[in-house]
Amino acid sequence: AEMSERLRLDPREELLFSGWFADLLQRSGSGSARISGGVAANFLKASGLPNGTLKQIWDVVDTARVGSIDKDGFFLALRLLALAQNGREPTMGNVSSFVGLFPFPRLAGLAQEASPSPPFSGGPQQQRAMQAS
């Protein structure tokens, strides 16, 4: 899990982000382990960031220019998203050089319901919901 290490995901983030990924994978319905560009774009738009910034993030994560992203790409997109929401350039360099706890991506709609608030107060209820899916 090289990407998880590079992104320094903590176990709770990994659990939550994986849940979002699984959900988007179902919507993509491609049968592959990749999220289609359209589904990913709709999800990322919930961040409220300008389209130019979202395109910048997409260009970093869709390195192969295939119009879809895998789980690593999705996790990276969420990291970049959170940086951009906190006034940083969404670049791989900024992810690598970031010091301290990463900010959590803020997303309106679906993602908001999935994200525990306040951050990571997921009790037994939260875990049961995760196992059920």
Side-chain angles (χ1 to χ4, degrees), residues 24-25 27-30 32-42 58 66-70:
L24 294 173
L25 210 49
R27 288 166 196 237
S28 294
S30 62
S32 79
R34 301 180 73 85
I35 304 176
S36 68
V39 170
N42 279 340
W58 186 258
V66 290
S68 63
I69 51 173
D70 60 10

Side-chain angles (χ1 to χ4, degrees), residues 1-4 7 21 61 69-77:
E2 186 190 317
M3 186 54 106
S4 302
L7 296 180
F21 182 78
V61 296
I69 51 173
D70 60 10
K71 198 172 192 172
D72 283 349
F74 179 67
F75 286 1
L76 175 57

Side-chain angles (χ1 to χ4, degrees), residues 89-109:
E89 278 285 298
T91 63
M92 198 65 217
N94 277 348
V95 170
S96 305
S97 64
F98 194 84
V99 177
L101 275 177
F102 271 96
F104 199 75
R106 299 185 301 279
L107 294 141

